[in-house]
């Protein structure tokens, strides 16, 4: 069963420079706030896709729901 | 996995192309069957924005084909002028920021009261075409 810490690590590993706050402790329903430099210039839908792609195949399955909020993070100089 | 003719997917594409604002949801705006769908429909209603609605529940294939088409796994899905805008989270965020009203070309909601029963039956005509 997935943990919020595991989701956080996977998001941050997939999007270098991103920071994710993930909550949810039932192993199936999670909420994440993700700030990433990769979001710059993207529509919200594209931003969400970047995050959801990390869990492709698991969303709707083992991860029942991932509520998302995305923000553009300043790229690390 | 074959890309043969797929009447249901074609019907969904057509509905998205023909309706400037179309919401795929669980249940109907009047009787939503899921909290996320309810909130998304209520946001549109409170902006007094005319929209078409498709209930995906009557046939599980509607959801399969929709998600295959949009590459978006969850319901609801809001399309404006043929483009997927988002699901419940994105629509809620855009509603609150005023971006949704801007996108739809309507006035931002003066008060967060859902407009009651305005044009109730029209959006549902879409449903038949997909079943």
């Amino acid at each position: 069963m997935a943990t919020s810490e595991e989701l956080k690590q996977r998001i941050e590993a997939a999007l270098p420079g991103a920071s994710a706050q993930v909550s949810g402790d039932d192993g199936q329903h999670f909420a994440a706030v993700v700030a990433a430099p990769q979001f710059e210039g993207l529509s919200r839908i594209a931003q969400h896709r970047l995050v959801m792609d990390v869990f492709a195949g698991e969303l709707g399955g083992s991860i029942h729901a991932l509520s998302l909020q995305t923000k553009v993070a300043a790229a690390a100089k | 996995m074959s890309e043969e003719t797929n009447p249901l997917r074609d019907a969904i594409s057509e509905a998205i192309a023909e309706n400037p604002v179309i919401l795929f949801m669980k249940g109907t705006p009047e009787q939503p069957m899921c909290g996320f769908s309810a909130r998304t429909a209520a946001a549109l209603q409170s902006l007094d924005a005319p929209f078409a609605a498709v209930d995906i529940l009557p046939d599980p294939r509607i959801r399969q084909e929709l998600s295959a088409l949009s590459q978006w796994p969850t319901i609801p899905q809001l399309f404006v002028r043929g483009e997927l805008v988002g699901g419940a989270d994105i629509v809620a965020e855009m509603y609150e920021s005023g971006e949704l009203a801007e996108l739809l070309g309507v006035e931002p909601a003066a008060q967060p009261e859902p407009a009651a029963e305005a044009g109730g039956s029209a959006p549902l005509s879409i449903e038949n075409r997909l079943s």
Side-chain angles (χ1 to χ4, degrees), chain A residues 2 7 10-11 28-31 48-68, chain B residues 63 67 71-74:
Chain A
L7 265 67
R10 286 176 61 188
I11 293 169
Q28 294 187 317
H29 301 81
F30 299 94
H48 280 224
R49 277 206 172 109
L50 278 182
V51 179
M52 296 202 306
D53 283 351
V54 178
F55 307 105
E58 293 162 84
L59 282 179
S62 58
I63 299 172
H64 182 76
L66 175 63
S67 170
L68 259 187
Chain B
R63 180 185 179 155
S67 286
Q71 296 294 302
W72 192 256
T74 53

Side-chain angles (χ1 to χ4, degrees), chain B:
Chain B
M1 280 289 151
S2 66
E3 295 294 321
E4 291 162 23
T5 55
N6 186 328
L8 181 56
R9 195 179 295 194
D10 292 346
I12 293 171
S13 302
E14 235 170 78
I16 291 170
E18 286 173 7
N19 294 277
V21 184
I22 182 165
L23 177 67
F24 293 85
M25 63 182 295
K26 294 182 180 173
T28 65
E30 292 72 30
Q31 204 161 15
M33 302 299 284
C34 160
F36 297 105
S37 287
R39 255 176 280 153
T40 307
L44 292 170
Q45 286 172 319
S46 76
L47 291 176
D48 256 335
F51 65 102
V54 178
D55 182 0
I56 59 113
L57 290 176
D59 186 337
R61 290 176 308 161
I62 301 175
R63 180 185 179 155
Q64 279 169 23
E65 293 302 331
L66 174 64
S67 286
L69 199 68
S70 64
Q71 296 294 302
W72 192 256
T74 53
I75 303 293
Q77 295 184 21
L78 175 67
F79 291 79
V80 176
R81 294 184 288 273
E83 293 250 348
L84 177 62
V85 172
D89 288 338
I90 291 177
V91 171
E93 218 181 311
M94 291 180 72
Y95 174 74
E96 271 155 40
S97 69
E99 284 165 87
L100 185 62
E102 201 181 309
L103 181 68
L104 298 173
V106 298
E107 293 295 309
Q111 72 272 29
E113 272 308 295
E117 308 303 314
S121 60
L124 299 183
S125 57
I126 296 299
E127 210 177 304
N128 300 330
R129 307 171 40 176
L130 294 178
S131 52

Side-chain angles (χ1 to χ4, degrees), chain A residues 3 6 9 13 21 24-28 30 33 36 40 45 55-57 59 63 65 71 73-74 76-77:
Chain A
T3 65
E6 186 190 324
Q9 285 173 4
Q21 288 172 280
D25 52 17
D26 68 357
Q28 294 187 317
F30 299 94
V33 181
E40 179 82 55
I45 205 94
F55 307 105
L59 282 179
I63 299 172
K71 298 173 188 171
K77 297 273 150 72

